[in-house]
mmCIF file of all heavy atoms in Angstrom:
data_model
loop_
_atom_site.group_PDB
_atom_site.id
_atom_site.type_symbol
_atom_site.label_atom_id
_atom_site.label_comp_id
_atom_site.label_asym_id
_atom_site.label_seq_id
_atom_site.Cartn_x
_atom_site.Cartn_y
_atom_site.Cartn_z
ATOM 1 N N ARG A 271 1.544 9.879 5.089
ATOM 2 C CA ARG A 271 2.725 10.729 5.002
ATOM 3 C C ARG A 271 2.240 12.173 5.071
ATOM 4 O O ARG A 271 1.361 12.562 4.290
ATOM 5 C CB ARG A 271 3.425 10.500 3.660
ATOM 6 C CG ARG A 271 4.722 11.232 3.493
ATOM 7 C CD ARG A 271 5.288 11.005 2.096
ATOM 8 N NE ARG A 271 4.658 11.857 1.109
ATOM 9 C CZ ARG A 271 5.138 13.043 0.713
ATOM 10 N NH1 ARG A 271 6.270 13.505 1.218
ATOM 11 N NH2 ARG A 271 4.504 13.770 -0.186
ATOM 12 N N ARG A 279 -1.982 31.246 11.854
ATOM 13 C CA ARG A 279 -0.717 31.903 12.229
ATOM 14 C C ARG A 279 0.384 31.297 11.349
ATOM 15 O O ARG A 279 0.834 30.178 11.582
ATOM 16 C CB ARG A 279 -0.407 31.668 13.711
ATOM 17 C CG ARG A 279 -1.457 32.257 14.659
ATOM 18 C CD ARG A 279 -1.136 31.954 16.115
ATOM 19 N NE ARG A 279 -1.063 30.543 16.398
ATOM 20 C CZ ARG A 279 -0.033 29.927 16.988
ATOM 21 N NH1 ARG A 279 1.031 30.601 17.368
ATOM 22 N NH2 ARG A 279 -0.060 28.624 17.209
ATOM 23 N N ALA A 287 6.564 23.040 10.149
ATOM 24 C CA ALA A 287 7.088 22.512 8.875
ATOM 25 C C ALA A 287 8.591 22.274 8.988
ATOM 26 O O ALA A 287 9.103 21.218 8.590
ATOM 27 C CB ALA A 287 6.782 23.494 7.750
ATOM 28 N N SER A 296 -0.360 28.026 2.883
ATOM 29 C CA SER A 296 -1.572 28.695 3.361
ATOM 30 C C SER A 296 -2.677 27.629 3.430
ATOM 31 O O SER A 296 -2.578 26.570 2.778
ATOM 32 C CB SER A 296 -1.980 29.811 2.409
ATOM 33 O OG SER A 296 -2.414 29.237 1.194
ATOM 34 N N LEU A 326 -14.064 19.397 3.175
ATOM 35 C CA LEU A 326 -14.980 18.583 2.360
ATOM 36 C C LEU A 326 -15.261 19.265 1.027
ATOM 37 O O LEU A 326 -15.301 18.606 -0.024
ATOM 38 C CB LEU A 326 -16.297 18.353 3.111
ATOM 39 C CG LEU A 326 -16.232 17.509 4.388
ATOM 40 C CD1 LEU A 326 -17.608 17.475 5.059
ATOM 41 C CD2 LEU A 326 -15.769 16.080 4.097
ATOM 42 N N LYS A 330 -11.851 16.562 -0.085
ATOM 43 C CA LYS A 330 -10.913 15.730 0.682
ATOM 44 C C LYS A 330 -11.610 15.143 1.917
ATOM 45 O O LYS A 330 -12.510 15.758 2.481
ATOM 46 C CB LYS A 330 -9.715 16.576 1.110
ATOM 47 C CG LYS A 330 -8.963 17.141 -0.095
ATOM 48 C CD LYS A 330 -7.784 17.973 0.313
ATOM 49 C CE LYS A 330 -7.206 18.767 -0.859
ATOM 50 N NZ LYS A 330 -6.867 17.993 -2.045
ATOM 51 N N LEU A 349 -21.732 16.069 8.612
ATOM 52 C CA LEU A 349 -21.828 14.657 8.223
ATOM 53 C C LEU A 349 -22.724 14.477 6.996
ATOM 54 O O LEU A 349 -22.446 13.625 6.136
ATOM 55 C CB LEU A 349 -22.347 13.815 9.391
ATOM 56 C CG LEU A 349 -21.449 13.719 10.624
ATOM 57 C CD1 LEU A 349 -21.874 12.540 11.494
ATOM 58 C CD2 LEU A 349 -19.970 13.583 10.280
ATOM 59 N N ARG A 355 -21.051 13.799 -0.644
ATOM 60 C CA ARG A 355 -19.841 13.785 -1.480
ATOM 61 C C ARG A 355 -19.113 12.439 -1.442
ATOM 62 O O ARG A 355 -18.078 12.288 -2.073
ATOM 63 C CB ARG A 355 -18.866 14.871 -0.997
ATOM 64 C CG ARG A 355 -19.295 16.261 -1.387
ATOM 65 C CD ARG A 355 -18.311 17.275 -0.869
ATOM 66 N NE ARG A 355 -18.611 18.588 -1.409
ATOM 67 C CZ ARG A 355 -17.987 19.129 -2.455
ATOM 68 N NH1 ARG A 355 -17.024 18.484 -3.061
ATOM 69 N NH2 ARG A 355 -18.319 20.331 -2.886
ATOM 70 N N ALA A 377 -13.618 -8.048 28.338
ATOM 71 C CA ALA A 377 -14.106 -8.664 29.587
ATOM 72 C C ALA A 377 -15.625 -8.575 29.678
ATOM 73 O O ALA A 377 -16.301 -9.542 30.057
ATOM 74 C CB ALA A 377 -13.456 -7.977 30.794
ATOM 75 N N LEU A 394 -12.294 14.840 37.378
ATOM 76 C CA LEU A 394 -12.357 16.007 38.254
ATOM 77 C C LEU A 394 -10.963 16.617 38.403
ATOM 78 O O LEU A 394 -10.027 15.923 38.801
ATOM 79 C CB LEU A 394 -12.896 15.586 39.633
ATOM 80 C CG LEU A 394 -14.198 14.762 39.606
ATOM 81 C CD1 LEU A 394 -14.463 14.127 40.967
ATOM 82 C CD2 LEU A 394 -15.371 15.630 39.205
ATOM 83 N N PRO A 411 -17.782 27.932 24.013
ATOM 84 C CA PRO A 411 -18.602 26.826 23.494
ATOM 85 C C PRO A 411 -17.753 25.801 22.732
ATOM 86 O O PRO A 411 -16.895 26.167 21.923
ATOM 87 C CB PRO A 411 -19.592 27.542 22.575
ATOM 88 C CG PRO A 411 -19.730 28.898 23.207
ATOM 89 C CD PRO A 411 -18.356 29.249 23.728
ATOM 90 N N PRO A 415 -15.275 21.052 30.712
ATOM 91 C CA PRO A 415 -14.798 19.709 31.050
ATOM 92 C C PRO A 415 -15.592 18.594 30.368
ATOM 93 O O PRO A 415 -15.044 17.540 30.081
ATOM 94 C CB PRO A 415 -14.954 19.640 32.579
ATOM 95 C CG PRO A 415 -15.953 20.693 32.911
ATOM 96 C CD PRO A 415 -15.765 21.785 31.892
ATOM 97 N N HIS A 417 -17.192 18.669 27.239
ATOM 98 C CA HIS A 417 -16.873 18.545 25.811
ATOM 99 C C HIS A 417 -15.389 18.306 25.568
ATOM 100 O O HIS A 417 -15.010 17.665 24.592
ATOM 101 C CB HIS A 417 -17.343 19.790 25.052
ATOM 102 C CG HIS A 417 -18.826 19.850 24.918
ATOM 103 N ND1 HIS A 417 -19.650 20.116 25.984
ATOM 104 C CD2 HIS A 417 -19.648 19.633 23.860
ATOM 105 C CE1 HIS A 417 -20.908 20.074 25.583
ATOM 106 N NE2 HIS A 417 -20.940 19.786 24.297
ATOM 107 N N VAL A 459 -7.137 37.372 31.739
ATOM 108 C CA VAL A 459 -8.364 36.865 32.360
ATOM 109 C C VAL A 459 -9.311 36.353 31.274
ATOM 110 O O VAL A 459 -9.520 37.014 30.254
ATOM 111 C CB VAL A 459 -9.024 37.972 33.207
ATOM 112 C CG1 VAL A 459 -10.395 37.521 33.722
ATOM 113 C CG2 VAL A 459 -8.112 38.349 34.375
ATOM 114 N N GLU A 473 -28.419 6.836 30.697
ATOM 115 C CA GLU A 473 -29.090 5.540 30.618
ATOM 116 C C GLU A 473 -28.818 4.976 29.230
ATOM 117 O O GLU A 473 -29.034 5.652 28.220
ATOM 118 C CB GLU A 473 -30.592 5.695 30.835
ATOM 119 C CG GLU A 473 -31.309 4.362 30.853
ATOM 120 C CD GLU A 473 -32.803 4.516 31.128
ATOM 121 O OE1 GLU A 473 -33.195 5.459 31.839
ATOM 122 O OE2 GLU A 473 -33.559 3.695 30.595
ATOM 123 N N VAL A 488 -12.244 21.360 40.906
ATOM 124 C CA VAL A 488 -11.913 20.447 42.011
ATOM 125 C C VAL A 488 -10.403 20.401 42.240
ATOM 126 O O VAL A 488 -9.629 20.115 41.327
ATOM 127 C CB VAL A 488 -12.439 19.023 41.685
ATOM 128 C CG1 VAL A 488 -12.000 18.023 42.746
ATOM 129 C CG2 VAL A 488 -13.960 19.032 41.570
ATOM 130 N N ALA A 494 -12.525 6.912 41.251
ATOM 131 C CA ALA A 494 -11.914 6.214 40.114
ATOM 132 C C ALA A 494 -12.465 6.781 38.804
ATOM 133 O O ALA A 494 -13.593 7.273 38.775
ATOM 134 C CB ALA A 494 -12.245 4.728 40.204
ATOM 135 N N GLY A 514 -3.404 2.994 27.571
ATOM 136 C CA GLY A 514 -3.012 1.803 28.321
ATOM 137 C C GLY A 514 -3.575 1.792 29.731
ATOM 138 O O GLY A 514 -4.697 2.236 29.972
ATOM 139 N N THR A 516 -3.787 -0.465 33.673
ATOM 140 C CA THR A 516 -4.152 -1.823 34.119
ATOM 141 C C THR A 516 -5.546 -1.800 34.734
ATOM 142 O O THR A 516 -5.722 -1.384 35.878
ATOM 143 C CB THR A 516 -3.135 -2.343 35.152
ATOM 144 O OG1 THR A 516 -1.835 -2.286 34.576
ATOM 145 C CG2 THR A 516 -3.453 -3.775 35.562
ATOM 146 N N VAL A 555 -4.073 6.952 15.899
ATOM 147 C CA VAL A 555 -4.338 5.608 15.365
ATOM 148 C C VAL A 555 -5.749 5.553 14.751
ATOM 149 O O VAL A 555 -6.002 4.781 13.821
ATOM 150 C CB VAL A 555 -4.125 4.526 16.446
ATOM 151 C CG1 VAL A 555 -5.218 4.514 17.477
ATOM 152 C CG2 VAL A 555 -4.006 3.152 15.813
ATOM 153 N N LEU A 562 -6.737 2.592 6.589
ATOM 154 C CA LEU A 562 -6.810 1.151 6.292
ATOM 155 C C LEU A 562 -8.238 0.771 5.878
ATOM 156 O O LEU A 562 -8.447 0.001 4.926
ATOM 157 C CB LEU A 562 -6.369 0.331 7.506
ATOM 158 C CG LEU A 562 -6.239 -1.159 7.242
ATOM 159 C CD1 LEU A 562 -5.101 -1.448 6.267
ATOM 160 C CD2 LEU A 562 -6.001 -1.924 8.546
ATOM 161 N N ARG A 566 -9.618 -0.971 2.468
ATOM 162 C CA ARG A 566 -10.349 -2.254 2.494
ATOM 163 C C ARG A 566 -11.831 -2.085 2.195
ATOM 164 O O ARG A 566 -12.573 -3.077 2.196
ATOM 165 C CB ARG A 566 -10.175 -2.892 3.871
ATOM 166 C CG ARG A 566 -8.699 -3.065 4.224
ATOM 167 C CD ARG A 566 -8.373 -4.455 4.680
ATOM 168 N NE ARG A 566 -6.935 -4.666 4.655
ATOM 169 C CZ ARG A 566 -6.233 -5.203 5.625
ATOM 170 N NH1 ARG A 566 -6.848 -5.590 6.728
ATOM 171 N NH2 ARG A 566 -4.938 -5.372 5.510
ATOM 172 N N ARG A 568 -14.222 -0.742 4.069
ATOM 173 C CA ARG A 568 -15.109 -1.021 5.208
ATOM 174 C C ARG A 568 -15.235 0.247 6.069
ATOM 175 O O ARG A 568 -14.434 1.180 5.916
ATOM 176 C CB ARG A 568 -14.542 -2.181 6.042
ATOM 177 C CG ARG A 568 -13.175 -1.905 6.644
ATOM 178 C CD ARG A 568 -12.904 -2.770 7.860
ATOM 179 N NE ARG A 568 -11.552 -2.612 8.376
ATOM 180 C CZ ARG A 568 -11.159 -1.620 9.175
ATOM 181 N NH1 ARG A 568 -11.986 -0.653 9.524
ATOM 182 N NH2 ARG A 568 -9.913 -1.578 9.618
ATOM 183 N N PHE A 587 -26.349 16.965 28.653
ATOM 184 C CA PHE A 587 -26.188 17.258 30.086
ATOM 185 C C PHE A 587 -26.574 18.717 30.371
ATOM 186 O O PHE A 587 -27.331 18.995 31.304
ATOM 187 C CB PHE A 587 -24.740 17.004 30.532
ATOM 188 C CG PHE A 587 -24.404 15.549 30.678
ATOM 189 C CD1 PHE A 587 -23.780 14.859 29.655
ATOM 190 C CD2 PHE A 587 -24.701 14.864 31.846
ATOM 191 C CE1 PHE A 587 -23.461 13.524 29.778
ATOM 192 C CE2 PHE A 587 -24.386 13.523 31.991
ATOM 193 C CZ PHE A 587 -23.765 12.848 30.950
ATOM 194 N N SER A 590 -30.368 19.366 29.573
ATOM 195 C CA SER A 590 -31.220 18.773 30.609
ATOM 196 C C SER A 590 -31.202 19.630 31.872
ATOM 197 O O SER A 590 -32.231 19.837 32.523
ATOM 198 C CB SER A 590 -30.722 17.361 30.921
ATOM 199 O OG SER A 590 -31.250 16.897 32.135
ATOM 200 N N CYS A 601 -29.613 10.407 17.859
ATOM 201 C CA CYS A 601 -28.665 9.796 16.905
ATOM 202 C C CYS A 601 -28.435 8.347 17.289
ATOM 203 O O CYS A 601 -27.975 8.069 18.400
ATOM 204 C CB CYS A 601 -27.307 10.495 16.946
ATOM 205 S SG CYS A 601 -27.348 12.165 16.426
#
Side-chain angles (χ1 to χ4, degrees):
R271 185 184 80 94
R279 298 178 301 127
S296 68
L326 294 176
K330 299 180 192 307
L349 295 197
R355 285 179 171 262
L394 310 167
H417 288 71
V459 173
E473 184 178 329
V488 175
T516 304
V555 73
L562 187 66
R566 304 231 165 133
R568 61 157 175 82
F587 285 96
S590 164
C601 296

